[in-house]
């Protein structure tokens, strides 16, 4: 998949980025929409067969060894361990940085669970493959800071 700027051979691919239709932006948007809709199958279908999820990057309560979740079965387990346990998740991004078929968002993910709210401040990245599927989803946030942010909802 190529953006409009990449199709215009008179302009380098790194100029005139199509911010709405960049493959990583589109795949990331589909991912967040599936999470909001609580649609596990749509979320899983958005990933390439060999995709990897690291959320957060490194060891965590979801992934003690810090190796991530690779392939559909493991990514499905990630959903069950993290997303399925929440009431809702809000993505609040302040900045978007597009580089090739990858996008990084700076901001926070606000998680609502069991009458409580937590905020994971960080950098959240999506990489799309040539078919427009997510090949990598990586989230850089600190577990301890996020745990310390937990408060009662409302």
């Amino acid at each position: 998949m190529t953006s409009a700027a990449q199709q215009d051979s008179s302009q380098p691919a790194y100029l005139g980025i199509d911010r709405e239709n960049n493959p990583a932006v589109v795949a990331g948007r589909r991912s967040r929409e599936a999470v909001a809709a609580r649609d596990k199958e749509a979320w899983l279908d958005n990933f390439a067969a060999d995709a990897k999820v690291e959320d957060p990057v490194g060891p965590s309560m979801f992934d003690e060894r810090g190796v991530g979740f690779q392939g559909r079965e493991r990514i499905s387990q990630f959903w069950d361990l993290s997303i399925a346990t929440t009431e809702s998740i809000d993505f609040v991004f302040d900045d978007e940085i597009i580089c090739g078929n990858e996008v990084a968002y700076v901001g926070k993910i606000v998680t609502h669970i069991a009458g409580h709210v937590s905020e994971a401040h960080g950098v959240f990245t999506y990489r799309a493959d040539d078919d427009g599927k997510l090949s990598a989803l990586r989230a850089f946030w600190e577990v301890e800071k996020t745990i310390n942010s937990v408060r009662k909802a409302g």
Side-chain angles (χ1 to χ4, degrees):
M1 299 188 86
T2 57
S3 71
Q6 292 169 325
Q7 293 171 356
D8 178 358
S9 61
S10 67
Q11 183 167 297
Y14 52 84
L15 297 177
I17 295 170
D18 183 348
R19 305 194 82 74
E20 287 298 313
N21 298 304
N22 174 277
V25 171
V26 172
R29 184 182 315 123
R30 281 194 309 258
S31 175
R32 294 186 302 278
E33 288 170 352
V35 168
R38 314 297 289 172
D39 188 339
K40 180 180 178 180
E41 288 307 310
W43 189 74
L44 291 171
D45 289 344
N46 191 39
F47 286 94
D50 62 346
K52 188 172 188 178
V53 171
E54 296 172 88
D55 185 355
V57 171
S60 73
M61 61 287 230
F62 307 125
D63 179 17
E64 292 286 333
R65 293 186 358 224
V67 296
F69 297 81
Q70 189 158 18
R72 186 179 177 96
E73 184 177 325
R74 289 282 292 140
I75 292 171
S76 177
Q77 291 172 350
F78 172 80
W79 174 284
D80 295 340
L81 289 170
S82 63
I83 298 168
T85 64
T86 68
E87 295 162 4
S88 65
I89 300 173
D90 301 320
F91 301 88
V92 183
F93 298 145
D94 302 319
D95 200 7
E96 173 185 78
I97 304 152
I98 299 172
C99 298
N101 279 358
E102 296 193 53
V103 61
Y105 294 100
V106 179
K108 64 185 176 181
I109 294 178
V110 181
T111 303
H112 303 264
I113 184 168
H116 291 80
V117 177
S118 69
E119 294 184 2
H121 292 262
V123 177
F124 309 91
T125 68
Y126 301 87
R127 180 175 49 222
D129 68 8
D130 290 338
D131 295 322
K133 298 272 192 171
L134 282 179
S135 59
L137 185 160
R138 301 182 81 208
F140 298 82
W141 55 273
E142 292 183 35
V143 173
E144 188 172 12
K145 283 184 178 179
T146 301
I147 290 170
N148 290 338
S149 77
V150 174
R151 64 186 187 280
K152 286 228 180 241

